[in-house]
Structure formats: C-alpha cells, structure tokens
C-alpha cells in the first residue's frame, strides 16, 4: 500500500483546474491536514455549492494553505504551507527566483501574523512554515546548503519555524491517517475519502460490494462499479486521436493502482482475504492502461510503466497467496469441489478460472525471467507445479470446460508449462482433455458451450442457458447453447499429438458422426481454429474481437495432415504494446478479460522450436 | 288396507320433503327432517301391521303394504317429472332409508350403541324399493326412457332391474334398459349385480331378446346406442333359453352370416363372439365345439379378430382353463411371435384366470409353454402379470423364477425407470413368496451371470424395503460372490443409506473380503455418503456391541477416522475464500431444481386419489386453521419434510462418478465370470 500511495502522491500536480474531479497536491494536503487534526483556514480550492472549484486570484505571499492546530501543550500553532510539485534538487535551489520553493518559504516566513492569521481572528503562539512537495530531496547534493538556508530564514524571522514535508513525509502522514474513524490506519482500513469527491461514489460502490452481506468471501464484488471507475479515470474515446494528457495518464494510473491496492486491503479486512477481486481489477486496469499507452505518443512516462509493473507484482503476490491457500487441497481428490447445487457447472468453471490466475501469474514471472531476472524462474515453476497438482486431483473439472472460451485458461496453463519446459505435462493433459471430451460425448454429457463466455462475472442469461443444458438432458435447452463445434479440440489435439509420448488417435473416433442408434444419431463435432486478424494486438485491450478474424474448420481424421494444416493457418500476429513495454503478461490479462483465445501461433512456435 | 287421512298426509309430507331437499341443499336440516319422517313412517306402518295382535308373516305383509301405500301417494306426485326422479329417489335412499329403534320385529342384527348406553337396531323401511316399483309402472314408456338414459346411481339401478316383473317392458324398452344399464356399469366389477338380473329376466321371457335382436338388425330400435356387447348378450340369452331348439340355432347362424357379410369390423367381432358363446346350455355344448367355431371366425381375418378371440378365452379361462389355454395358443399362433406381442396383456389375463380357476391343481402346466414367449413381452401395467406369477408360484417355483429372470431381462429399462421395488412391481407374488424367498430371489438376480439381469437385480436390491431379508442369505454366498456384490452395491448409484450397511454385513459374513470392502467404504462410500457411513457404523456398533469381530471393528474405526479427515477437509475448503466465492451457477441451478420439484409435486397431486377426493383449501398463513362456523380448537399446521443423502460425486463430477462406478461393475463382472467358468 505504501508504495502505491507513494506513486500516487508523486503523480499529482501542484494544482488542477478541476479539484472536484482531479486530485492535486493542495487538495491532498487539505485532506491530510484535516485527518491529522488541523483546522484548515485557507485552502487551495473553494466550495461552489457542494463542489470544489479552483481558488485563484488570492494574494498568497507564498502561502498556499493556511492551517492551525492545537499542539500537545495546548498552544495554538499556525502552519503556513508552501506547495510545489516534484522533486527538489540542485535545479530547484533557486532562492532568488520568484515562485520557487525557497523564495516562497522566505516570503511566507516574512509575513506578520496580523497580515494573515489575524484575518481569521487568530493569535497563534508560534508560526511554522512548511515546505511541501511531492518528490524527494536530493540531500546528497543540496542537503547542507538547504539546511543552512532554512536556518538562516529562521534566524531572520524570529518566531518562525521551518518544516520540510517531502513525498516520503506526505506518505507517512497518509499512511498514519485514520479516515475510518475507528482508529484503523488507511493501510488496514481503506477509505475513499482520500480521493476527489466526484470519483468517490464509484470507488465506494466497488469497495462496499466486498462486504459479506453482498456476497460471502467477496462473491458480491461489483465488477460493473470497477468498470465505471476505470471508465471515469481512463475513458476511451471512439476517436483514437482524442487522447488524455500524459500527466493525466500518469496520475490516473497511479490513482487506479492505489485503488486496486485498497481493494486488496479491503478483501483482507472483510472478504476472508479473497484475492479474486484484486486480480480481476488488476486485469481491467492494466488493459486500460495498456490501451492508453498504445494510443499515447511514443515515449510514455516511465512512471506509467512503473505503476503497471507494480500492478503486475501485486497480481503475482495475490496469485501466490491463492496458491498457498490451495496447496493443502492439492493432495485431495476433487479438492476444489464444494458440495452443493450447481457444482456440476461451478466446479469446472472454478477450477479453470483459478488455474487461469495461477498460470497468468506464473507467466508474468516466466516472461520476465526470459528477459531479465533469473530468480523468477523458480517462482514461476512453483506456480506451474501447483497447477499440475491441482489438475491431477481435479481431472473431472480441469478436463471438462463448460464454455469453449475456456481455451484461454487451458492455453495459459499450457503456455506456462511450455515456457518452463514441462512438455510431458502438456502432452498428458492435452491428451486427457481430448479423452475426456470423447467420453463426455459418448456418454451423452454436454461439451463446452460454443457461444457462451466464462466472463467474470458470468452473464445471468448465459448462466441460465448453461444450467438448463447441464441440469437435465432434455432437448428443450436454449437455442443459444451449442456444443456441436470446438476450438479446444484442435489445440488439445495439436499439443497431445506433439508432446504425448504414447499418443493414439483412438479418442478421435468419438468426434465423428454416428448412424441412428439407440440414443439417436450423433452429428460430428467440428474442430475449429479461430485466426485473429493481423492487427489483433492493437485491439485486444478493449475487446475480445468476437466478430473479427476467421474461424476455420479443420479435419482431424488424419493427424499428420491436421498438424500441417493447423500450423499453416496459425499465422503470427503483430507485436503488442505490452510486449514492447516488456510486460507481455498484460496481453494475457487482455485475453482473459475480453475472452479472446490466445493466438495459436504461440503454440506452433513452441512446437517448431523443436521441443521436446 | 285403505289409506286414511293420516296416510295421505304422511305421503304428502314426504313428497314435500323430497321436493325441498332436492331444491335447496341443506344436509343438516334434511337429515333431521328425514329422521322425523322416517320415524313417522315406521309408526304408521307399525300401526297398520298390529304386530302384537297377529302372526308375524301377516303383520309383515301389512307393514310392507302400508309402506307401499305411502310410496304410491308419493309416486303420484312425481310421475309427471322424470327429470326429478333420480334426485328424489337419491334423497329417499339417503334420508328415508331406515330407523334405529329397539325391539322391532323387522330390525336387523347389527347393534348400535348410543352415547346414553342404550342399544338400537336398524329397521329398513324399503321406501326406495316401493317407490321404484310404484313409480315406474305408473309412468309412460317415454318418461321411463328419459329416466333410464340419465340414471347414474347403483342403488336405484338395482331397484329398477328388480322391478322388471311389475314393469313388464316391451322388447324395445327392454333393449333400452339393457343398453342404458350396460353403458352405466361399463367394466365395473359389480356390473353383474345389474346386468345379471336383466339377462335372467330375459331368459324367462325368451321371445324378448330374440325380438330385440331382430329389431336391432332391422334398425328399428328407438335407442341407437345399443352397442354390440348388448346385442351379444341378447343373442346369447335367446339361444341359451331356447335349449336345443333347431330353429334358434338356424336363427343364430343366419345372424352370424349376416354379420359376416357386413363390411365392418365390429360386426365380424360380434359374429366371432356369438359363435363362441351363443350355444344352448341344456344340454351343455362342449368347449371344443365352441372354440372351433370361434377359431373358424377368427381365421377369416386373424390380424383383426385375434383380440376378440382372446377376450372370449378370457371369459372361458375360469370355467375351462385348459381349453382356454389351448385355444389361446392357437389364436396367438395366427399372428406369429411379433404380432402376438401386442396381445400379451390379454394372454396374461387368460393365463392368470386359468391358473386361478378351481381346478388349478389338475392344470397341465405344459399348456402354458406355448404362451410363455408372448407372456414375456407383457408389461406390468395394465396386465395381470403379477396375479399370473403369484398363481404360478403356487404350482411351480422354478418355472416362476426362470420366467421372472427372462421377463426382467426383457423389461430391464422399464423396471429401472419405474423406480419401484420388487414388492411394488409384483405385490401378489411377493406376498406369495414371503420376504425370505423374495430376498433370496433378488439376491440371485443381483448375482446373475447375465449382465442385464444382474444390473437390474442390484437395482432391486437397493430399492428393497426388506433388505434384512436379502442380507439373511449373505452366509450362503461364496467369497467371490460376496466380493462381486460389494462392487455391485458400490456401482448401484443408490443413496448410501440403501447399501453401505449391507457391505458391512457382507464383511461380517465373509471376513476374507475385507480388502475388497475397505477401499469401497473408505473412498466411494465415505466421500460420497458421509452421513450414511456414520449411521451405518453406528448401527453396526449398536447391533454388535458384544461382538468380537476385530476385523470389522477395525474397519469401522478406519471408516470413522476417514470420515473425520474428510470433515476436516470440508471445513478447510470452506475456509478458502476463492472457492466459496466462485459458485456462479448455484442460484440458477437451485431455481431449476425448485421448478422440477414443483412440477413433480403438481403431477403427484394430480395422480393422488386422496387429492382428487379431498377439497383443497389453501391456507394463507398462520400456525393453525379453523372453519369460520366452527367454535372448535383450530387445527394445528405442521410442516412435513424429508431428506436423503445423494452421492456427492454425482453432484460434483457425474462423469468421473460414472467412470468409477463402471469400474466396479467390471470388477464384479470379472469375478462372476470366473465363477461361471469354474462351474
């Protein structure tokens, strides 16, 4: 939390034109002061009705905020705050330059109390001038000079004390604030009061939905509120040329990252520590950031990248918590199943969803390790091993996807194992998926629904159709349920035939059509490969490309011919922004979020590289 | 005896009572008024009888004549309105039927003990009979016809057919009465109580049935609803009543010829039926002759006429079982194996009747053999298969058992889908066998070398409500059979409560199979039916508190330990937020379940005889209910609910569960195959 707050603090401008909507250093400082018992007399904004507006035209004499506080000894002390944006180094050490920090400090110190505090009817025992800026001080270079300057000012203006609040000090003050009113610091009990008034309702909506009365263990998390938050902060215009400014992108990115961190803290506090709302929120926020970076002119601020990396790191941390919680169940048969109504559908959905998070986190580490840190390999391997253990004890779920778009989760798992060289596991599980699909078909069970999407949250109407189909075997299921084709089938076949040592084509017989028998004729199951458009990587942060690309039917009777055809049609696609930024896991977030199958070229590339 | 003023007054009162009671329904008022009038009528009749002064026979005649006099006066008032007869006669039958009194010479035997300690006996007034016997002759045939067509009351019908002697109906009217009565009784088992007196009257007036048939042939009967069954009765009665008179047989033959020449199937069916049953009874005609005549008729168009032939045999089976069985076989032979299957139900009826006939001890069971292939195709519903098997079991248990196995093999799907137990499917047979033998048979079915029978046998095992009777035969099993049975019970897919204890009993009877039973109990049973497992162990411990069976005691200990471990895992799972929060299908699934339950409940209500009879009154809310007019304690409302433990695996991962179950079946198959090979 502290790091996220730090990034947020550093992202703020000294003053925004619309403090109602956008936080600036002044509004944040006012919040801090009020939380710490100051009475703020002069604010950098004014109230118009219930809204905040920028306060301009006031004669400041360097003082941006004037506040008063009763100290522990009972004396009343006036605080004159001088605000500046950014770091303070050699370049900012310009006491003679009007408008600079040092110049304004001296100006603020020079002002008699009759000229300021008396206007508010106060006669403070002492006056403190506080230099506030949302960056660090380059103490190595200017530390002694700064100290001397401040001492001189104090000497020149008796009765004046000078304090220096840099970013670290501001973060300290925020972290120790207790806006909840129950004595819990912000780090433990998040509060949306930190944020500007206009965005607070959206944040509150999302945070309050984590309360147990809305759904046990975070089950009632309001994803639509999270969408509203993201749209409010990083709106997407249909006109790509209408971009938000880099400064705004920086601030919004940091703000959203901090809010996601708050969701995580709130989950720990009230949702039994569920990691899912946090990880889902990270996926949403990261994709939106990536889209804005894609739209931004080249050379997006490094701070944005840092926030994105921080979000990925938080995702990995959450996934690790999840992995550790699931670990004790990995030795139990059907360990991820909970007895209860609808578990026939819940269990496979849940298992593949959880495996998806673990695989994505593993990929975040593995992809990073490929380019830099080697220690991440070991962490990625931990995820990969846990996934295999879960799969082995939950075969009935992992091998029975409910929707065809769960090829995404299966693909992420297989991609992770391929990156870590776990080829035998890929072969075994891909063959098992094929085998299981064959048995399901022969035994009259439903296959993955082609047109429904395993979104989070699941759409009610989709769930109704799925449950109808799985509840009984009656023919009167919704026409929106279709399991006569599969995109999972060709991928599983490609990987099984490529990586399974003793692969046989025996299960494939179950996918061809049958004559009219005791249980009626069974049409063939069509194997289909979706080929995304060449520019898919430019679009997948905002949509699943449902109506784009080409779906190719592919014959599976002759496996060699199938493999050749599969490789021929799995053409590579263009580079993505996330890859350019060296955070390719954000692409996996996008596939998951918008339910877009991974490009099959990914798997073909592995096979072509000569493995195993 | 001449009626005096009092008589007229009483008749008038009764008439007024009947008019009011049929016009305005008020049961309590009518009951009280009826009681009062009945007492007056009894007093009046007693005063006419003068019981103390005369001998009982003469007094009773006068007593009945007095009742008749009152009835006559009532009838006079009713005669013009046949539309109201039935209603008023019903009221008379209900409220003016009898009087409870003491010391009356005509009182019945049944004693009624009254709240004050007195004992009363019932005197039947006979007013209904008297009313019918006076009302009908007083009326015109047109009014009577109107009455008969709509008459819908068993009591009144009985009185009507009992009054034919005083009515002396014309040919057309008799045909009308017979037709209306036949239509009313339908296939009711009590039909004979109305039809037989009619035919008996016809046999005493033989010209009537023959003339009625002739009228029917010429299309002169006013009542066009006279159906062919009635015609058949008339012909049969006419021929039987005329004895060996050559004329009547010629008449019958010409009728048959006429019917055969008509281009309608119903007439051919009638011809076949008449040829079998319209024969002189004195001297009796041999069944051989009758059946040959029937077969000649059926032979003309067997596909259409075998059914009527079998109906005829069903009637003959009780009296002439062997001949009926022989002819039945000949009739079915016309159609071949496939065609005869459609008549399986009729064939079962014939066989059942034949076996239940009086001369059953002498019945040659070889006669059944040609029928068996057809009988095997019969379903339980709508046939008398259960009755047939119960009768057969009395004569030959082995034949019954062999037949039953073959029948189960053919009807496995239907039996499985019915959800019924052996005793529910074959209740009479189960009673005949007794629980011990029924258990033995079910066990034998469950261990049959034939897979279909075996699968069904296990299903019947787990559905049985007398599992103890099956378990009592466990000692007779071989070790391999006991092992196979363990696997088969695990395969059954039935609730754990139905089979887990049986596995413990198997281990108790065959300690050597503990290694087979252990994984079944510790994996399949414990994981899927934890509640049933715990109960089974508890039950075993209670029943074997002093047992020194260490083998089984250890198994129970292990099972309890496993249950505790699973309980801990269960709690662990519910502590993982990510598992609890990912159940998106739960509410929709629950909604579907609820919808299914509602539909099932509605269908059950539709099928329930109780629900059809009872008036349904929904209660809005509250813990009790009472009717607005009753000053009584409210009836307390109570909730009724039930529950059963269903396999967790079936709920969670049905495909894996099915694969595991199939594995058990295959293991049992292998074990039982080894036994078959060895023998």
């Amino acid at each position: 939390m502290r790091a996220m707050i730090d990034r947020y603090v550093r992202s703020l401008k000294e003053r925004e034109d619309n403090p109602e909507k956008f936080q600036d250093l002044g509004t944040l400082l006012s919040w801090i002061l009020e939380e710490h018992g100051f009475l703020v007399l002069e604010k950098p904004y004014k109230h118009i009705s219930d809204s905040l507006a920028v306060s301009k035209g006031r004669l400041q004499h360097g003082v941006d905020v004037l506040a008063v506080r009763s100290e522990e000894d009972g004396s009343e002390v006036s605080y004159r705050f001088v605000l500046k944006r950014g770091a303070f180094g050699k370049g900012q050490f310009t006491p003679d330059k009007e408008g600079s920090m040092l110049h304004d400090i001296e100006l603020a110190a020079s002002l008699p109390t009759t000229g300021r505090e008396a206007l508010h009817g106060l006669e403070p025992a002492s006056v403190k001038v506080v230099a506030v800026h949302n960056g660090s001080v380059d103490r190595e270079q200017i530390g002694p000079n700064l100290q001397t300057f401040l001492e001189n000012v104090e000497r020149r203006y008796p009765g004046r004390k000078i304090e220096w609040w840099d970013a670290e000090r501001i973060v300290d003050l925020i972290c120790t604030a207790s806006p909840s009113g129950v004595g819990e610091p912000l780090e433990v009990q998040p509060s949306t009061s930190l944020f500007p008034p206009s965005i607070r309702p959206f944040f509150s909506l999302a945070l309050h939905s984590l309360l147990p009365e809305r759904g046990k263990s975070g089950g009632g998390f309001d994803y639509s509120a999270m969408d509203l938050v993201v749209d409010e902060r990083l709106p997407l215009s249909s006109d790509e040329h209408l971009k938000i400014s880099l400064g705004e992108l920086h601030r919004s990115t940091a703000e959203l990252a901090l809010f996601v961190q708050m969701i995580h803290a709130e989950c720990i506090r009230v949702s039994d520590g569920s990691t899912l709302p946090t990880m889902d929120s990270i996926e949403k926020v990261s994709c939106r950031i990536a889209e804005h970076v894609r739209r931004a002119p080249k050379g997006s601020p490094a701070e944005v990248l840092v926030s994105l990396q921080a979000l990925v790191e938080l995702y990995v941390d959450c996934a690790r918590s999840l992995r550790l919680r699931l670990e004790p169940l990995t030795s139990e048969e059907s360990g991820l199943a909970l007895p209860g109504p609808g578990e026939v559908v819940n269990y496979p959905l849940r298992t593949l969803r959880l495996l998806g998070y673990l695989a994505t986190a593993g990929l975040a580490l593995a992809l990073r390790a490929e380019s830099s840190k080697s220690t991440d390999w070991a962490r990625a391997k931990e995820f990969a091993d846990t996934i295999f253990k879960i799969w082995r004890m939950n075969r009935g779920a992992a091998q029975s996807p409910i929707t065809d778009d769960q090829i995404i989760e299966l693909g992420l798992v297989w991609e992770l194992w391929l990156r870590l060289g776990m080829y035998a596991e890929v072969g075994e599980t891909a063959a098992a998926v094929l085998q299981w699909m064959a048995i399901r078909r022969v035994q009259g069970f439903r296959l993955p629904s082609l047109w429904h999407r395993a979104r989070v949250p699941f759409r009610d109407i989709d769930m109704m159709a799925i449950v109808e189909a799985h509840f009984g075997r009656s023919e009167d299921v919704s026409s929106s349920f279709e399991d006569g084709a599969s995109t999972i089938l060709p991928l599983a076949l490609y990987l099984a035939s490529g990586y399974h040592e003793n692969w046989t084509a025996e299960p494939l017989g179950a996918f061809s059509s049958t004559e009219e028998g005791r249980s009626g004729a069974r049409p063939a199951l069509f194997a289909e490969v979706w080929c995304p458009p060449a520019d898919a990587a430019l679009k997948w942060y905002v949509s699943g490309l449902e109506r784009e690309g080409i779906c190719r039917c592919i014959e599976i009777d002759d496996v060699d011919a199938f493999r050749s055809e599969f490789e021929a049609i799995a053409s590579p696609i263009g580079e993505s922004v996330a890859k350019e930024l060296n955070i390719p896991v954000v692409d996996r977030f996008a596939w998951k979020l918008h339910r877009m199958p991974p490009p099959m070229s990914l798997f073909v590339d592995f096979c072509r590289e000569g493995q195993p | 005896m001449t009626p005096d003023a009092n008589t007229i007054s009483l008749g008038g009162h009764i008439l007024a009572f009947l008019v009011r009671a049929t016009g305005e329904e008020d049961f309590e008022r009518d009951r009280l008024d009826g009681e009062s009038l009945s007492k007056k009528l009894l007093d009046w009749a007693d005063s006419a009888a003068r019981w103390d002064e005369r001998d009982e026979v003469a007094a009773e005649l006068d007593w009945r004549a007095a009742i008749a006099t009152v009835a006559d006066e009532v009838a006079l008032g009713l005669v013009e309105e046949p539309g109201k007869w039935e209603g008023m006669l019903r009221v008379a039958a209900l409220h003016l039927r009898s009087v409870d009194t003491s010391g009356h010479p005509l009182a019945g035997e049944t004693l009624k003990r009254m709240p004050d300690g007195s004992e009363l006996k019932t005197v039947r007034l006979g007013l209904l009979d008297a009313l019918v016997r006076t009302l009908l002759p007083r009326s015109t045939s047109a009014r009577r016809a109107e009455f008969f067509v709509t008459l819908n009351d068993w009591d009144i019908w009985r009185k009507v057919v009992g009054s034919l002697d005083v009515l002396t109906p014309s040919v057309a009217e008799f045909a009308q009465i017979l037709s209306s009565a036949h239509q009313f009784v339908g296939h009711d088992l009590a039909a004979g109580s109305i039809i037989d007196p009619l035919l008996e009257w016809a046999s005493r007036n033989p010209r009537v049935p023959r003339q009625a048939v002739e009228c029917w042939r010429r299309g002169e009967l006013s009542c066009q609803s006279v159906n062919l069954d009635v015609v058949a009765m008339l012909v049969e009665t006419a021929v039987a009543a005329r004895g060996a008179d050559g004329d009547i047989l010629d008449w019958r033959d010409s009728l048959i010829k006429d019917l055969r020449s008509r281009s309608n199937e119903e007439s051919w069916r009638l011809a076949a039926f008449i040829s079998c049953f319209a024969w002189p009874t004195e001297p009796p005609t041999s069944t051989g002759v009758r059946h040959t005549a029937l077969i000649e008729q059926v032979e003309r168009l067997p596909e259409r006429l075998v059914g009527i032939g079998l109906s005829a045999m069903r009637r003959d089976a009780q009296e002439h079982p062997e001949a009926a069985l022989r002819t039945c076989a000949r009739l079915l032979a016309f159609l071949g194996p496939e065609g005869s299957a459609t008549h399986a139900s009729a064939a079962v009826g014939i066989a059942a009747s034949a076996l239940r006939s009086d001369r059953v001890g002498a019945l040659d069971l070889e006669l059944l053999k040609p029928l068996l292939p057809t009988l095997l195709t019969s379903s339980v519903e709508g046939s008398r298969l259960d009755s047939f098997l119960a009768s057969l079991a009395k004569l030959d248990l082995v034949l019954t058992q062999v037949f039953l196995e073959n029948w189960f093999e053919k009807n496995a799907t239907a039996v499985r889908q019915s959800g019924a137990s052996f005793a529910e499917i074959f209740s009479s047979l189960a009673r005949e066998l007794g629980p011990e033998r029924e258990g033995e048979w079910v066990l034998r079915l469950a261990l049959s070398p034939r897979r279909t029978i075996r699968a069904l046998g296990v299903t019947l095992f787990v559905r049985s409500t007398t599992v103890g009777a099956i378990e009592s035969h466990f000692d007779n099993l071989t070790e391999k059979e006991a092992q196979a049975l363990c696997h088969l019970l695990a395969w059954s897919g039935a609730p754990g409560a139905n089979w887990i204890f049986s596995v413990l009993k198997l281990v108790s009877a065959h300690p050597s199979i503990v290694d087979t039973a252990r994984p079944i109990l510790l994996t399949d049973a414990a994981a899927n039916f934890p509640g049933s497992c715990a109960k089974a162990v508890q039950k075993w411990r209670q029943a074997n508190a002093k047992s020194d069976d260490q083998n089984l005691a250890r198994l129970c200990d292990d099972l309890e330990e496993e249950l505790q471990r699973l309980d801990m895992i269960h709690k662990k799972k519910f502590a993982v937020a990510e598992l609890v929060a990912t159940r998106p299908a739960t509410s929709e699934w629950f909604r579907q379940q609820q919808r299914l339950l509602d539909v099932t409940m509605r269908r059950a209500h539709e099928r329930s005889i109780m629900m059809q009879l009872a008036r349904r009154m929904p209660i809005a809310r509250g813990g009790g209910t009472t009717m607005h007019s009753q000053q009584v304690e409210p009836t307390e409302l109570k909730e009724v609910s039930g529950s059963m433990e269903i396999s967790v695996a079936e709920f969670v991962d049905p495909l894996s569960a099915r694969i595991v179950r199939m594995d058990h079946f295959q293991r049992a198959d292998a074990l039982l195959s080894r036994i078959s090979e060895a023998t």
Side-chain angles (χ1 to χ4, degrees), chain B residues 313-481:
Chain B
M313 288 309 100
R314 175 85 182 266
R315 186 172 146 185
D316 260 3
Q318 197 89 16
E319 287 287 315
H320 312 285
E322 291 184 353
L325 289 174
R326 263 191 220 99
T327 306
C328 177
R330 287 181 66 189
L331 288 168
L332 291 173
F334 283 131
L335 301 176
E338 284 186 15
S340 63
T342 54
H343 297 286
S345 178
V348 168
I350 293 163
S353 294
L355 290 179
R356 286 171 66 87
S357 68
D358 287 339
R359 288 182 292 137
V360 80
L363 189 71
D364 181 4
L365 291 181
E366 285 295 310
L367 292 171
L368 278 175
K369 284 194 176 165
L371 299 183
L372 291 179
T374 305
L375 300 184
L376 278 175
T377 61
S378 163
S379 66
V380 173
E381 292 85 20
S383 85
R384 296 178 63 203
L385 190 63
D386 179 30
S387 166
F388 162 69
L389 287 172
S391 303
L392 186 62
K394 280 184 184 146
L395 303 173
D396 191 335
L397 275 174
V398 175
L399 180 59
T400 311
Q401 198 171 8
V402 170
F403 177 87
L404 200 61
E405 283 185 3
N406 287 305
W407 185 87
F408 273 133
E409 191 167 29
K410 275 189 180 295
N411 294 274
T413 309
V415 172
R416 222 177 2 256
Q417 286 171 353
S418 74
S421 67
F422 184 96
E424 284 164 344
I425 302 166
F426 296 116
S427 53
S428 306
L429 176 61
R431 266 198 306 279
E432 180 62 35
L433 296 175
E436 286 293 309
R437 182 161 281 137
E438 180 200 327
E440 187 190 341
W441 283 25
V442 170
L443 191 57
R444 189 176 147 170
L445 289 170
L447 294 168
S448 167
R450 282 137 78 185
R451 286 182 185 177
T452 312
I453 299 175
R454 185 192 313 154
L456 188 64
V458 177
T459 306
L460 294 175
F461 182 124
V462 294
R463 283 180 191 167
S464 175
T465 50
T466 52
V467 178
I470 305 176
E471 290 167 350
S472 67
H473 298 281
F474 281 176
D475 288 337
N476 305 330
L477 300 179
T478 64
E479 185 186 322
K480 279 202 167 46
E481 282 176 330

Side-chain angles (χ1 to χ4, degrees), chain B residues 71 114 164 172 216 218 237 252 303 305 366 398 458 508 608 610 657:
Chain B
M114 306 310 285
L164 288 187
W216 172 77
R218 293 193 298 272
T237 308
R252 181 202 63 183
E303 293 80 17
L305 298 177
E366 285 295 310
V398 175
V458 177
S508 179
S608 162
M610 275 300 292

